[in-house]
Amino acid sequence: IKDYKEKLKIKSAKSKIFTPEQLLAVEWYEFLGAKLPFPRIIKMIKKSGYRYCFQLLSEIKQEPPNNPVSLFIWKCKNDKIIWK
Protein backbone atom coordinates (compact mmCIF):
# COMPACT_ATOMS: atom_id res chain seq x y z
CA ILE A 1 0.00 0.00 0.00
CA LYS A 2 2.89 2.42 0.72
CA ASP A 3 4.24 1.88 -2.79
CA TYR A 4 0.85 2.71 -4.24
CA LYS A 5 0.59 5.92 -2.17
CA GLU A 6 4.06 7.00 -3.28
CA LYS A 7 3.08 6.60 -6.94
CA LEU A 8 -0.01 8.76 -6.43
CA LYS A 9 1.85 11.71 -4.93
CA ILE A 10 1.51 14.84 -7.02
CA LYS A 11 4.69 16.63 -7.99
CA SER A 12 5.06 20.22 -6.85
CA ALA A 13 4.44 23.03 -9.32
CA LYS A 14 7.88 24.49 -8.66
CA SER A 15 9.48 21.77 -10.76
CA LYS A 16 7.71 23.17 -13.84
CA ILE A 17 9.01 26.75 -13.61
CA PHE A 18 10.85 27.64 -16.81
CA THR A 19 10.51 31.38 -17.45
CA PRO A 20 11.03 34.55 -15.38
CA GLU A 21 7.31 35.30 -15.79
CA GLN A 22 6.43 32.00 -14.14
CA LEU A 23 8.87 32.65 -11.31
CA LEU A 24 7.33 36.08 -10.73
CA ALA A 25 3.87 34.51 -10.84
CA VAL A 26 4.91 32.09 -8.09
CA GLU A 27 6.05 35.04 -5.97
CA TRP A 28 2.73 36.82 -6.56
CA TYR A 29 0.79 33.61 -5.84
CA GLU A 30 2.55 33.12 -2.51
CA PHE A 31 2.28 36.82 -1.59
CA LEU A 32 -1.45 36.92 -2.31
CA GLY A 33 -2.04 33.79 -0.27
CA ALA A 34 -3.39 31.73 -3.19
CA LYS A 35 -6.49 33.95 -3.44
CA LEU A 36 -6.00 34.41 -7.18
CA PRO A 37 -5.60 31.42 -9.55
CA PHE A 38 -2.08 30.88 -10.86
CA PRO A 39 -3.03 30.90 -14.57
CA ARG A 40 -4.77 34.25 -14.12
CA ILE A 41 -1.66 35.74 -12.51
CA ILE A 42 0.48 34.54 -15.44
CA LYS A 43 -2.00 36.02 -17.92
CA MET A 44 -1.92 39.38 -16.15
CA ILE A 45 1.89 39.39 -16.06
CA LYS A 46 2.05 38.65 -19.79
CA LYS A 47 -0.50 41.39 -20.49
CA SER A 48 1.08 44.09 -18.33
CA GLY A 49 4.69 43.07 -18.74
CA TYR A 50 7.26 41.46 -16.50
CA ARG A 51 9.05 44.65 -15.39
CA TYR A 52 5.84 46.45 -14.44
CA CYS A 53 4.54 43.52 -12.35
CA PHE A 54 7.95 43.11 -10.69
CA GLN A 55 7.97 46.81 -9.75
CA LEU A 56 4.38 46.59 -8.53
CA LEU A 57 5.21 43.60 -6.33
CA SER A 58 8.12 45.40 -4.71
CA GLU A 59 5.98 48.51 -4.08
CA ILE A 60 3.15 46.49 -2.55
CA LYS A 61 5.55 44.51 -0.34
CA GLN A 62 6.96 47.74 1.11
CA GLU A 63 3.54 49.09 2.13
CA PRO A 64 0.98 46.25 2.14
CA PRO A 65 -2.59 47.45 1.44
CA ASN A 66 -5.75 46.06 3.02
CA ASN A 67 -6.61 44.04 -0.08
CA PRO A 68 -3.55 43.32 -2.28
CA VAL A 69 -5.53 41.09 -4.67
CA SER A 70 -7.87 43.90 -5.69
CA LEU A 71 -5.00 46.35 -6.02
CA PHE A 72 -3.03 43.96 -8.25
CA ILE A 73 -6.02 43.35 -10.53
CA TRP A 74 -6.94 47.04 -10.70
CA LYS A 75 -3.40 48.20 -11.42
CA CYS A 76 -2.86 45.60 -14.15
CA LYS A 77 -6.17 46.38 -15.86
CA ASN A 78 -6.07 50.17 -15.63
CA ASP A 79 -2.41 50.84 -16.35
CA LYS A 80 -2.02 52.18 -19.87
CA ILE A 81 1.76 51.72 -20.11
CA ILE A 82 2.96 48.30 -21.25
CA TRP A 83 6.43 47.44 -19.91
CA LYS A 84 7.87 44.47 -21.76
Side-chain angles (χ1 to χ4, degrees):
I1 293 179
K2 285 185 181 181
D3 256 354
Y4 185 71
K5 287 182 180 180
E6 292 294 323
K7 288 180 183 177
L8 292 178
K9 283 190 178 178
I10 298 172
K11 294 181 181 178
S12 67
K14 291 183 181 181
S15 65
K16 297 181 182 182
I17 304 297
F18 298 115
T19 64
E21 289 85 7
Q22 290 175 337
L23 186 60
L24 182 62
V26 168
E27 286 185 47
W28 269 108
Y29 187 75
E30 291 171 356
F31 178 72
L32 297 175
K35 293 180 182 176
L36 200 60
F38 190 77
R40 185 168 181 193
I41 295 172
I42 291 215
K43 182 180 177 184
M44 295 177 90
I45 290 173
K46 286 182 179 178
K47 178 184 169 245
S48 297
Y50 173 81
R51 292 190 317 177
Y52 175 73
C53 290
F54 183 78
Q55 179 187 4
L56 184 61
L57 179 64
S58 61
E59 289 175 7
I60 290 178
K61 278 187 176 180
Q62 288 175 0
E63 295 179 23
N66 292 339
N67 193 350
V69 176
S70 298
L71 181 64
F72 174 64
I73 293 171
W74 184 81
K75 285 267 198 178
C76 286
K77 284 186 177 182
N78 293 329
D79 189 32
K80 301 299 179 199
I81 300 172
I82 305 292
W83 293 25
K84 295 284 178 175

